[in-house]
């Protein structure tokens, strides 16, 4: 394979101290420096170049630079040897140290620094014209022109310093860079590549375009002049190894774009060389009479010139690769690593002859393990460009075998866009490299078709299509529209689809599989003719499971074609459809309707006895264009459909079938259709049949003292049918309320009615009341109608209240749900919107009913683990359904609280379970707490305190006052109090009065019961002060002093043993005392904080916010570190000194919206805290390292911990309308040792 030759002009050092050659030193001296250096390339391994979390770290240290040593030893040549072979270059700038005296006078003024930068920043002028203007100025004055180019790159880094002619002459690269570093603006962490705002939005694109145009315009002139390009590359190499992030980022981007442009130039030179060689061979093969010696000589001269140019270009590329890429591809900044991976992918695609080798591919392979999303994404996109070209895949075999496992594992990447690109890459490998992916590799990708992210599932669906379906269906269908729709190919497709879904057993719903395959196999999935023929033909040999699956696929494809919405739970980023897509949906809807209208009655007739098949078939009417029944004169098929619908309803009693049938009839019973009267008549016939049957069976029940199982089942089934139809249709004229109410009254009074009958009867009466309410919702309703409805509603509420104490839990839960909804409907909210005439219907539950509702909640929702039954006897599906039902009950109760139906104090029964049941109901309780605070802040705070009082009183009654604070239940109460404190948010001033009130009420409660006179024992409620101490971090210093005085006055009434102080009082006083702030500066506090940081960076997953451990909810107090800082020296004394400063900074940060001033400012910003020890390398960095912080790596680590903890805190306690103060970036709102009284 061809290998890039080493640079013959430039030595790229690996550390700032070694970039010491002047910018325009002679090429020969540069070569001598290179030749005298060690033949092996030793890469730096400082903190900027290492990332301990990246995979294959051992490979990075052992293989670095080894691929270039051989070419370095054999291909290095002196530029002087090549000079005579070149055409005379343009006049060059004199070299440093030369005694030549030139006639022209050099400029003494400062070089222009803003022309190029401002033009590129505004991007208003044509880039080619801009580069041409610079070339003209460079030809007039080389030094001034080159300085303008250098200062353009310096300004692009965000540095305000400039390179003057004196610096250019007298200072080396490292000295210039050190001088520029000292002039860097530390006030902001932004620089042009990262700055926000409209003026910087397009800067990066313009910057890259300028570099590309510069090389393009110089490729026939200055590109081969040793002075500008050599020194520009040398400067960029030195800047890319700088400790300043802006220098490193910008120069690496410039160097990589410069390399990409050079690669394109090298490719053109290679093509020119090949063309020249063909011309030379053609001319030489001519006969002696036709051969032109002058032509051969010119071609030889041209070939020699092209060869020389190519060697120089390859030397520059090799210098950039070894000087910049090899070090920066593992930079600590992910943006820099991403740039390197993106550009090396471009090199491999553009100039595969030189770059598509294993020695370059290994860098992409190693970086596939990068911990940052953007870097992994760039690697995968680079590989996609390679694997998409079938001509290049033969050269990727070794790389594929080495890194295939990693690429397959990235399908399960935690970042969805990375996983999507991984699946697409594997699809390209599958298509272009036969036999590479094993069955095990493919089986690890198949489950992704059921992922919740639609882009990922769609990519996996495409992989599945090319792996399983295309080899069979694609070869059979051939090409062309007609052959692609051949029946045999379509039948094969659906058989394979059914086999995959049934045999894989990965999911229970085929709708997700259909949605995943829709983008790549939508045409096959819309072949409803093939699906219906498979269902209706008798010789297809489909099993029962396959028939169910095929019907589900039919319904899912119809829904996808007509609505275009993904299944429930699958998210998509699209906001709307285009006009073309809407037209396609309308056409598909018409095709679907025309095809299925004649066949739907046949399908219902064939599967009428199977409830699992009938229910989804009835759902197909949702996707019909029902007007076609009229426009195409298909009423006869409508008659058949109504007959089959009636037969299905009479035959089945399953809720899913009845709901689907009632909804299908509702879709057809719309007055705008011309066939409405016909459908309405069929509906009346069906309801008459059901009501007659109900009256007969009800009379038998009331007259007979005993009913067998068949009679009970028949009555219950009839009531279920009527209830399902009452939900979708107004059955008021059949007057079903009275018989059903009488049936329920008998059930309550005697208990002789089976529960199978009571459940649908309750629902039927409930719907009857709601339909009656819709009839009188107009202003013309009579007073009698309103009063009759009120009496019915009250009677029904009394029935439900009686059912709450029923022995059957299903009846209890059904009564609770219906009663909650009924109370909510007839709450004061019903008169809103100008419906004041409904005021007489407002109903407030009595205290006994409210008490029963709360008791029901305790018995059926907040169940202990032992009350749920054995987990081995119930599968996961049943447990999930039961949890969903309990959440539904809790949500109904919370709505009654928030809409004013129940007293808000009853919320304490819910809030006191917030911590214990956080995993099951945390989101519901949190939302209830938020809404309650919006309704009444003060009342909500009292409810929180009431919740703690209730829990404490219950524990006190069970365990007694002795050793109360050591019990696990008391520790759980402290966790609950801490979570309640979190709910107040970071706005101290906004909640000041609430927190003070809470403390005072808590102190009163703790001392409400006094010990017997003469006794030295503690008051029984005194341990409540320990719970109260969890709210102390929310107090201001002044309030703490007042509360201490208030507590002292309250304690004067209580006798204490001499020389003894009660533990809870000590704990509470400590939480209000300024002594706490001293713990932050102590060595013990420092070590504890450091331990938290280390644990936060090493744990693989974020701990659950419901953990009862205090440290999992604490935020480390961090001192903000600017980004634009040097990272040369990182000593342990400095780390420890900064750690102590960070521990002491939290007290000042806790002041509300107040900047640092006076002694606090000098405390944080004094340079004595940030003096850097002497550099062992001998470089005197001096003032350049006296900055706010010098540790970029520690800054990354600390900011990551802060972001993680902040997200965890905000996820628990973020309130609507709360805005964190900018002066509180690192508040520890949970640690009771973070308040410093002296700062107030």
């Amino acid at each position: 394979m061809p290998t890039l030759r080493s640079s013959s002009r430039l030595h790229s050092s690996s550390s700032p101290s070694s970039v010491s050659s002047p910018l325009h030193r002679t090429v020969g001296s540069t070569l001598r420096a290179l030749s005298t250096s060690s033949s092996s390339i030793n890469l730096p391994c400082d903190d900027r170049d290492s990332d301990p979390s990246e995979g294959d770290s051992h490979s990075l240290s052992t293989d670095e630079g080894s691929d270039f040593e051989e070419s370095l030893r054999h291909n290095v040549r002196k530029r002087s040897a090549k000079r005579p072979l070149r055409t005379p270059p343009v006049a060059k700038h004199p070299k440093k140290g030369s005694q030549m005296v030139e006639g022209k006078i050099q400029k003494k003024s400062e070089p222009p620094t803003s022309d190029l930068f401002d033009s590129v920043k505004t991007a208003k002028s044509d880039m080619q014209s801009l580069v041409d203007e610079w070339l003209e100025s460079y030809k007039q004055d080389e030094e001034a022109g080159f300085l303008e180019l250098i200062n353009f790159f310096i300004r692009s880094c965000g540095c305000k310093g400039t390179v003057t002619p004196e610096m250019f002459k007298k200072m080396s690269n490292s000295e210039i860079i050190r001088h520029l570093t000292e002039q860097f603006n530390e006030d902001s962490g932004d620089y042009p590549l990262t700055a926000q705002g409209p003026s910087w939005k397009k800067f990066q694109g313009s910057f890259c375009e300028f570099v590309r145009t510069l090389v393009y315009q110089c490729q026939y002139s200055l590109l081969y002049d040793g002075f500008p390009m050599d020194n520009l590359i040398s400067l960029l190499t030195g800047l890319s190894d700088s400790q300043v992030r802006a220098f490193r980022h910008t120069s690496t981007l410039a160097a990589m774009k410069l390399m990409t442009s050079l690669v394109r130039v090298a490719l053109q030179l290679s093509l020119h060389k090949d063309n020249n060689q063909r011309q030379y061979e053609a001319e030489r093969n001519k006969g002696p009479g036709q051969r032109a010696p002058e032509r051969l000589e010119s071609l030889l001269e041209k070939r020699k010139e092209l060869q020389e140019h190519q060697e120089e270009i390859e030397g520059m590329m090799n210098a950039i690769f070894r000087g910049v890429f090899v070090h920066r591809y593992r930079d600590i900044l992910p943006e820099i690593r991403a740039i390197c991976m993106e550009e090396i992918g471009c090199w491999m695609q553009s100039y595969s002859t030189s770059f598509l080798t294993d020695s370059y591919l290994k860098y992409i392979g190693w970086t596939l393990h990068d911990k940052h999303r953007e870097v992994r994404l760039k690697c995968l996109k680079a590989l996609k460009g390679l694997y998409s070209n079938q001509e290049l895949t033969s050269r990727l075999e070794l790389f594929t075998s080495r890194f295939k496992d990693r690429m397959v594992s990235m399908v399960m990447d935690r970042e969805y866009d990375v996983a999507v690109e991984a699946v697409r890459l594997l699809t390209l490998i599958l298509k272009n490299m036969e036999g590479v992916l094993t069955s095990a590799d493919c089986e690890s990708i198949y489950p992704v078709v059921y992922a919740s992210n639609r882009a990922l599932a769609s990519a996996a669906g495409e992989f599945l299509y090319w792996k399983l379906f295309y080899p069979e269906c694609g070869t059979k269908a051939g090409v062309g529209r007609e052959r692609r729709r051949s029946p045999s190919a379509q039948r094969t497709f659906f058989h394979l689809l059914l086999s995959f879904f049934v045999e894989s057993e990965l999911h229970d719903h085929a709708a997700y599989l259909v949605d995943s395959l829709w983008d790549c196999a939508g045409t096959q999935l819309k072949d409803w003719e093939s699906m219906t023929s498979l269902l209706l033909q008798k010789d297809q040999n489909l099993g029962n499971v396959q028939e169910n699956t095929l019907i589900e696929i039919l319904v899912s494809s119809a829904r996808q074609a007509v609505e275009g919405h993904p299944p429930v739970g699958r998210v998509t980023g699209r906001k709307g459809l285009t006009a073309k897509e809407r037209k396609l949906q309308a056409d598909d809807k018409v095709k679907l309707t025309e095809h299925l209208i004649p066949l739907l009655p046949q399908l219902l007739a064939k599967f009428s006895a199977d409830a699992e098949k009938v229910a989804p078939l009835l759902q197909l009417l949702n996707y019909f264009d029902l007007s076609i029944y009229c426009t195409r004169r298909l009423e006869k098929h409508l008659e058949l459909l109504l007959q089959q619908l009636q037969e299905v309803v009479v035959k089945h009693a399953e809720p899913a079938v009845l709901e689907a049938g009632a909804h299908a009839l509702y879709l057809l019973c719309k007055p705008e259709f011309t066939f409405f009267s016909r459908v309405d008549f069929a509906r009346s016939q069906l309801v008459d049949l059901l009501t007659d049957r109900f009256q007969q069976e009800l009379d038998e029940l009331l007259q007979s003292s005993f009913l067998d199982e068949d009679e009970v089942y028949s009555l219950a089934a009839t009531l279920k049918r009527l209830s399902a139809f009452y939900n979708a249709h107004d059955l008021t004229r059949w007057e079903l309320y009275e018989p059903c109410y009488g049936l329920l009254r008998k059930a309550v009074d005697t208990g002789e009615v089976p529960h199978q009958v009571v459940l649908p009867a309750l629902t039927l009466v409930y719907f009857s009341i709601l339909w009656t309410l819709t009839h009188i919702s107009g202003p013309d309703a009579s007073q009698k109608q309103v009063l009759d409805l009120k009496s019915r509603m009250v009677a029904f509420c009394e029935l439900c209240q009686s059912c709450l104490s029923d022995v059957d839990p299903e009846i209890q839960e059904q009564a609770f749900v219906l009663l909650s909804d009924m109370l909510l409907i007839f709450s004061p909210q019903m008169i809103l919107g100008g419906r004041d005439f409904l005021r007489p219907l407002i109903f407030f539950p009595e205290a006994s009913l409210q008490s029963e509702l709360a008791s029901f909640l305790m018995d059926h929702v907040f169940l202990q683990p032992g009350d749920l039954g054995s987990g081995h006897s119930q599968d996961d599906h049943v447990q999930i359904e039961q949890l969903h039902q309990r959440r539904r009950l809790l949500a109904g109760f919370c709505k009654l609280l928030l809409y004013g139906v129940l007293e808000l104090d009853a919320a304490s029964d819910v809030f006191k379970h917030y911590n214990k049941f956080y995993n099951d109901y945390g989101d519901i309780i949190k939302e209830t707490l938020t809404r309650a605070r919006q309704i009444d802040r003060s009342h909500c705070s009292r409810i929180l305190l009431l919740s703690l009082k209730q829990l404490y009183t219950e524990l006190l009654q069970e365990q007694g006052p002795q050793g109360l604070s050591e019990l696990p239940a008391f520790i759980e109460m402290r966790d609950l109090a801490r979570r309640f404190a979190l709910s107040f948010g970071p706005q101290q001033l906004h909640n000041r009065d609430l927190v003070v009130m809470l403390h005072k009420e808590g102190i009163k409660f703790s001392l409400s019961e006094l010990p017997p006179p003469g006794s030295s024992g503690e008051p029984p409620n005194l341990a409540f002060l320990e719970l109260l101490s969890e709210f102390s971090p929310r107090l201001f210093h002044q309030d703490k002093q007042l509360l201490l005085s208030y507590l002292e006055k309250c304690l004067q009434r209580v006798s204490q043993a001499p020389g003894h102080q009660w533990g809870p009082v000590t704990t509470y006083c400590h939480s209000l005392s300024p002594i706490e702030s001293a713990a932050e500066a102590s060595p013990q506090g420092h070590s504890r904080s450091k331990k938290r940081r280390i644990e936060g960076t090493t744990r693989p997953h974020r701990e659950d916010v419901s953990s009862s451990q205090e440290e999992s909810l604490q935020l480390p107090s961090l001192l903000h570190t600017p980004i634009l800082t040097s990272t040369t020296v990182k000593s342990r004394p400095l780390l420890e000194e900064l750690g102590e400063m960070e521990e002491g900074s939290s007290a000042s940060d806790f002041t509300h919206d107040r900047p640092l001033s006076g002694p606090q400012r000098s405390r944080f910003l004094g340079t004595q805290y940030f003096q850097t020890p002497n550099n062992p390398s001998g470089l005197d960095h001096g003032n350049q390292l006296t900055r706010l912080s010098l540790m970029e790596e520690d800054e990354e680590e600390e900011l990551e911990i802060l972001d993680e903890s902040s997200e965890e805190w905000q996820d628990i306690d973020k309130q609507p309308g709360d805005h964190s103060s900018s002066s509180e970036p690192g508040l520890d709102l949970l640690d009771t040792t973070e308040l410093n009284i002296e700062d107030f």
Side-chain angles (χ1 to χ4, degrees), residues 1053-1109:
R1053 300 180 297 139
V1054 184
S1055 61
Q1056 299 188 32
H1060 176 267
Q1061 191 173 16
W1062 291 325
V1065 176
T1066 304
T1067 301
Y1068 184 63
C1069 291
H1070 183 69
S1071 68
L1072 301 177
S1073 168
I1075 300 176
E1076 280 205 5
S1077 61
E1080 295 177 3
S1082 64
Q1084 183 178 0
H1086 167 71
S1087 62
R1088 183 170 62 252
S1089 175
K1090 292 296 289 183
K1091 180 180 179 182
R1092 274 205 308 271
R1093 275 185 217 158
I1094 296 173
E1095 291 175 353
T1097 56
T1098 58
R1099 59 187 178 185
H1101 301 286
R1102 186 178 303 174
E1103 295 182 6
D1104 191 358
V1105 294
S1106 63
S1107 172
S1108 61
Q1109 298 298 327

Side-chain angles (χ1 to χ4, degrees), residues 454 515 518 558-567 572 574 577 585:
R454 191 180 188 279
D515 183 60
W518 192 259
R559 179 179 181 272
Q560 193 82 15
V562 173
E563 296 182 352
H565 300 307
T572 178
R574 300 192 60 181
L577 300 175
Q585 284 187 359

Side-chain angles (χ1 to χ4, degrees), residues 557-627:
S557 63
R559 179 179 181 272
Q560 193 82 15
V562 173
E563 296 182 352
H565 300 307
V568 176
R570 178 165 286 180
V571 294
T572 178
R574 300 192 60 181
K575 295 183 179 180
L577 300 175
T578 62
K580 182 178 180 181
E581 290 172 335
R582 289 193 295 269
K583 184 179 184 302
L584 179 61
Q585 284 187 359
D587 295 342
D588 289 338
K589 188 173 185 178
V590 172
K591 294 177 183 178
L592 173 71
T593 307
E594 290 178 346
H595 175 70
L596 286 180
I597 278 180
L599 299 180
L600 184 56
Q602 300 178 31
L603 292 170
L604 291 174
K606 180 177 180 179
F607 303 110
S608 61
D610 195 333
E612 294 185 7
K613 299 181 177 65
V614 168
L617 286 174
L618 289 174
Q619 294 175 7
L620 286 170
L621 283 174
N622 293 311
Y623 317 115
F624 279 13
D625 183 0
L626 296 176
S627 62

Side-chain angles (χ1 to χ4, degrees), residues 380-408:
L380 292 172
K381 288 183 177 180
L383 292 176
K384 277 179 57 183
L386 300 176
Y387 282 100
S388 60
N389 189 345
Q390 204 164 12
E391 297 178 356
L392 302 179
T393 54
S394 60
R395 303 164 65 179
L396 294 168
E397 293 179 357
L398 181 60
F399 172 83
T400 306
S401 63
R402 169 65 179 83
F403 294 102
K404 182 191 68 172
D405 293 340
R406 173 57 185 163
M407 291 186 284
V408 173

Side-chain angles (χ1 to χ4, degrees), residues 419-601:
V420 169
E421 293 300 327
V423 175
R424 290 174 179 171
L425 173 62
L426 292 173
T427 304
L428 292 174
I429 295 176
L430 176 69
K431 293 162 64 174
N432 296 330
M433 300 184 72
E434 184 177 356
V436 171
L437 295 179
T438 63
S439 299
D441 297 332
C442 298
E443 289 174 0
S444 64
I445 304 172
Y446 293 158
V448 184
V449 297
Y450 301 106
S452 60
N453 184 273
R454 191 180 188 279
L456 178 58
S458 180
E462 183 180 2
F463 179 89
L464 177 66
Y465 176 79
W466 284 97
K467 176 62 179 177
L468 295 183
F469 303 127
Y470 183 79
E472 297 291 335
C473 308
T475 54
K476 288 187 177 182
V479 294
R481 181 179 180 86
E482 297 301 326
R483 297 187 65 190
R484 189 166 58 249
R485 285 185 168 271
S486 63
S488 61
Q490 286 301 104
R491 283 195 297 270
T492 303
F493 173 81
F494 285 112
H495 280 293
L496 291 172
L497 186 61
L498 292 174
S499 299
F500 171 77
F501 181 79
V502 175
E503 295 175 5
S504 63
E505 298 180 352
L506 296 172
H507 207 273
D508 296 332
H509 301 286
Y512 296 89
L513 179 60
V514 171
D515 183 60
S516 301
L517 292 170
W518 192 259
D519 293 340
C520 59
T523 304
Q524 291 93 324
L525 291 171
K526 287 191 291 187
D527 187 5
W528 300 297
E529 294 86 351
S530 299
M531 283 188 274
T532 51
S533 65
L534 286 173
L535 289 171
L536 292 174
Q537 292 179 8
K538 297 181 179 179
D539 57 348
Q540 294 302 322
N541 297 325
L542 293 178
N544 181 58
V545 177
Q546 291 178 322
E547 287 179 343
N548 291 337
T549 303
L550 187 56
I551 290 175
E552 188 177 358
I553 292 174
L554 171 63
V555 176
S556 301
S557 63
R559 179 179 181 272
Q560 193 82 15
V562 173
E563 296 182 352
H565 300 307
V568 176
R570 178 165 286 180
V571 294
T572 178
R574 300 192 60 181
K575 295 183 179 180
L577 300 175
T578 62
K580 182 178 180 181
E581 290 172 335
R582 289 193 295 269
K583 184 179 184 302
L584 179 61
Q585 284 187 359
D587 295 342
D588 289 338
K589 188 173 185 178
V590 172
K591 294 177 183 178
L592 173 71
T593 307
E594 290 178 346
H595 175 70
L596 286 180
I597 278 180
L599 299 180
L600 184 56

Side-chain angles (χ1 to χ4, degrees), residues 10 159 203 244 286 298 547 592 630 775 812 1235:
L10 184 64
C159 180
F203 176 78
V244 179
K286 291 180 180 180
S298 64
E547 287 179 343
L592 173 71
C630 310
H775 293 161
Q812 290 179 326
L1235 291 181

Side-chain angles (χ1 to χ4, degrees), residues 368-379:
L368 286 173
H369 296 268
D370 196 277
K371 67 177 181 179
H372 282 85
R373 159 192 164 276
E374 187 65 25
V375 184
R376 301 195 302 274
L377 198 61
K378 293 297 183 183
C379 292

